[in-house]
Amino acid sequence: MRVASLGRASAILGAGTLVSRITGLVRTFVLILALGNVGAAAADAFSIANQLPNNIYAIISTGLLTGVILPQIVKAAKHDDGGSAFVSKLLTLGSVALLVVTALAVVAAPLFVALYGSLLDEATFALTVAFAYWCLPQVLFYGLYALFGEVLNARRIFGPYTWAPIINNVVSIIGFIIFMVVFGTQKDSIGWTPAMVAVMGGTATFGIIAQAAILMMFWRRTGLDVKLDFHWRGMGLREIGRLAGWTFLMVVVGQIAGLVQTAIVGEASGQSASVASMGYAWVVFILPYSVIAYSIGTPYFTQLAEHAAAGRLEDVRHDLDASIRTLGVFMVAALAAVVAAIVPLSRILTESTSDAYAFAWVLAGYLVGLVPLAVLFVIQRTFYAYHDTFNPFLFTLVQSVIAVVTTLIAFEVLPPEFLAAGIALGQSLGALIQLAMAIWLLRRKLGPLHLGPAAASIGRFMIAAVPATAAGWGLYVFSGAADGWMMRDGLDAIIATMVVGAVSLVVYVLALAVLRTPELAVGTAFVRRILRRGRS
């Protein structure tokens, strides 16, 4: 893939993911208005229930589809029919499997809630089960969205998969507003009627249905002639199963860690930052990660998979170096801006200054792992390009064990008001160790990776981030900090976040220029592409 093509694909993905995540933030803000945040038991109940289909979907998408199926689709494109037969079998098999899994999940709803909400009080537990019955059908439509989306990505049709979640966010925003208009804000887990549960849970599920359906509008662009095909023999299920076996275990151990984290932090439900706060903090954390890592990394991964299949190791090393550098210059910029504005940003999503600080500690815990996760995004998909799912299982297992151990430690030594923050920090520390192990394993597999220059670039970015963060934080302190105008209400906090973030980014760019960082030119070119696309 040419550099220009990578740039155009990244611009499409970057713009789509940015809009998607911004509307996702709006969705989160409206949800907080409806159910609350810190100390809101109803928000914790909805967060657990609505996360259940995501957890099951993670096994399908993050593991099997992205890691195993996409390279198979790329390989099948070389067949005489362009891969139509393989994709027909794949979609038929996937749809049948999704129907079965979804049905089993709905039946097992109380069991799932018992696993994730073991420390919830009786009323919150019952409300979570009621939400779960409405939310778990999302598994089917998450899976269909992932199946169709990965086929589109493999055919180099990158835009629709990225833009489709916007539909989900819009549907959710409308539904949550309707809930508030009809029922008002409901933070407690007591007093919920079947109609209230139906509006909240049904809104969440209908949004996912719309997200999957919109992809069908772009299917003709694949050029594939797809039909139902139940003759699955000969499509390489044994090879796919071998690869997916380790991937399945990898995602399972990650889900076990998430289960322990959710169950333990439930101890703080109704008191301080708990399940909902961790979920909202993750939404903020994942915004820069998904916009930058996904938009830049996905085109590189498609190219890297082609280079790996052709045995061009030097090109693979070049892809690794280029993607890490490009990801790094943006990711560190986002880190500096978010850290500088972390308190007013948290005030947007909370009702008081004290709640804002409680939420900020949770977000800070996650942010420690922002840059390592971005680099890991590239390393992990390099293993996938070589059809290696065993090594990703190994370093994910290590990260999950660390996450579980640190969660248990946090439960023993931290008071409820810092429990969520301690769990988030433990997850990030695990990610740091996971990245180091992943690089070591990849070097054993491919030989020298020549990542020294990329590491030096990350170092320069971090140096530039120091004055950038200090400038933004200094502006917050100069305004009066907790007693200043930035923390008076949500509107002032929005303005403050924009001002502090903008100051940090300007100082970051100036610092990169002083350090004569070559990646600055790449970054500004990428931003110009997105702006041009936005005006077109």
Side-chain angles (χ1 to χ4, degrees):
M1 187 186 291
R2 295 175 303 171
V3 174
S5 298
L6 275 174
R8 284 192 296 270
S10 295
I12 293 171
L13 291 170
T17 308
L18 179 61
V19 175
S20 173
R21 293 303 177 179
I22 289 176
T23 55
L25 278 177
V26 175
R27 175 190 183 276
T28 299
F29 180 73
V30 176
L31 179 59
I32 290 172
L33 291 178
L35 301 182
N37 185 348
V38 177
D44 293 333
F46 182 78
S47 294
I48 292 174
N50 199 42
Q51 186 61 35
L52 290 177
N54 284 272
N55 294 340
I56 299 172
Y57 163 73
I59 298 174
I60 301 169
S61 177
T62 306
L64 179 59
L65 286 173
T66 302
V68 178
I69 296 299
L70 190 146
Q72 299 292 331
I73 298 173
V74 171
K75 183 179 178 181
K78 299 177 183 179
H79 297 169
D80 293 338
D81 64 350
S84 292
F86 176 81
V87 173
S88 294
K89 296 176 187 293
L90 172 67
L91 293 180
T92 304
L93 174 60
S95 299
V96 171
L98 285 167
L99 282 169
V100 173
V101 170
T102 302
L104 293 174
V106 172
V107 171
L111 176 60
F112 282 125
V113 175
L115 290 173
Y116 284 88
S118 58
L119 296 180
L120 299 176
D121 62 66
E122 184 177 349
T124 306
F125 183 92
L127 180 60
T128 306
V129 173
F131 280 138
Y133 280 121
W134 280 95
C135 293
L136 280 168
Q138 295 173 23
V139 172
L140 172 61
F141 301 99
Y142 267 129
L144 292 176
Y145 164 74
L147 276 171
F148 289 123
E150 289 299 342
V151 174
L152 290 172
N153 279 346
R155 305 293 289 188
R156 299 189 183 281
I157 305 170
F158 295 111
Y161 191 41
T162 307
W163 288 83
I166 298 171
I167 303 299
N168 170 32
N169 292 331
V170 171
V171 169
S172 297
I173 290 168
I174 294 172
F176 296 155
I177 290 175
I178 291 173
F179 177 89
M180 283 189 291
V181 170
V182 177
F183 303 110
T185 299
Q186 300 290 334
K187 298 180 182 179
D188 201 345
S189 56
I190 300 174
W192 281 73
T193 66
M196 294 163 65
V197 173
V199 173
M200 286 300 298
T203 292
T205 297
F206 185 71
I208 304 304
I209 294 173
Q211 174 180 294
I214 200 72
L215 291 185
M216 296 306 300
M217 296 176 58
F218 301 91
W219 187 257
R220 288 187 177 181
R221 292 170 57 184
T222 65
L224 295 170
D225 181 20
V226 175
K227 56 186 178 182
L228 287 175
D229 188 347
F230 294 92
H231 300 88
W232 300 326
R233 180 173 297 179
M235 66 178 294
L237 286 178
R238 180 173 298 179
E239 174 66 10
I240 292 174
R242 182 185 66 81
L243 295 172
W246 289 115
T247 308
F248 175 80
L249 290 175
M250 178 186 72
V251 180
V252 166
V253 298
Q255 291 302 315
I256 292 173
L259 188 156
V260 173
Q261 291 174 326
T262 302
I264 293 297
V265 80
E267 171 74 12
S269 180
Q271 307 174 57
S272 186
S274 185
V275 181
S277 296
M278 289 188 70
Y280 300 149
W282 184 261
V283 169
V284 176
F285 166 82
I286 209 67
L287 172 61
Y289 174 80
S290 57
V291 171
I292 298 167
Y294 182 75
S295 61
I296 296 174
T298 297
Y300 270 109
F301 176 52
T302 302
Q303 173 177 283
L304 194 149
E306 293 170 349
H307 289 161
R312 297 198 291 267
L313 181 56
E314 284 304 315
D315 288 334
V316 170
R317 288 176 176 141
H318 178 268
D319 292 337
L320 273 171
D321 178 78
S323 57
I324 290 174
R325 287 169 180 260
T326 308
L327 283 172
V329 70
F330 286 104
M331 201 65 72
V332 176
L335 179 64
V338 175
V339 170
I342 193 168
V343 178
L345 174 59
S346 298
R347 179 65 179 87
I348 298 172
L349 303 175
T350 53
E351 293 185 346
S352 66
T353 299
S354 60
D355 286 350
Y357 274 94
F359 184 83
W361 279 113
V362 180
L363 179 56
Y366 282 131
L367 288 172
V368 172
L370 182 61
V371 175
L373 280 177
V375 179
L376 182 66
F377 178 91
V378 179
I379 301 298
Q380 186 172 17
R381 278 151 183 77
T382 305
F383 282 108
Y384 291 156
Y386 283 95
H387 308 291
D388 181 353
T389 54
F390 175 69
N391 281 312
F393 164 73
L394 287 181
F395 57 71
T396 301
L397 177 61
V398 170
Q399 190 273 340
S400 298
V401 170
I402 294 171
V404 169
V405 171
T406 53
T407 295
L408 296 175
I409 292 173
F411 180 67
E412 292 294 332
V413 304
L414 295 178
E417 56 266 31
F418 289 108
L419 182 57
I423 292 173
L425 178 60
Q427 180 166 314
S428 293
L429 294 177
L432 284 166
I433 297 173
Q434 181 184 21
L435 174 61
M437 183 176 179
I439 293 174
W440 176 70
L441 289 171
L442 186 61
R443 186 181 292 116
R444 287 186 60 190
K445 183 179 184 68
L446 300 182
L449 301 177
H450 306 308
L451 293 181
S457 293
I458 296 293
R460 285 194 297 272
F461 305 155
M462 296 301 291
I463 292 173
V466 173
T469 304
W473 183 260
L475 184 61
Y476 165 71
V477 173
F478 180 76
S479 74
D483 299 321
W485 68 268
M486 292 187 179
M487 301 293 288
R488 282 188 308 218
D489 54 41
L491 179 59
D492 286 335
I494 291 173
I495 296 172
T497 299
M498 295 172 63
V499 171
V500 171
V503 168
S504 296
L505 291 176
V506 169
V507 174
Y508 178 73
V509 171
L510 292 175
L512 290 179
V514 170
L515 294 172
R516 297 182 179 180
T517 305
E519 291 82 7
L520 180 59
V522 177
T524 53
F526 178 79
V527 172
R528 283 197 299 268
R529 287 193 191 97
I530 293 180
L531 294 177
R532 283 199 300 268
R533 179 164 293 275
R535 290 194 297 265
S536 61

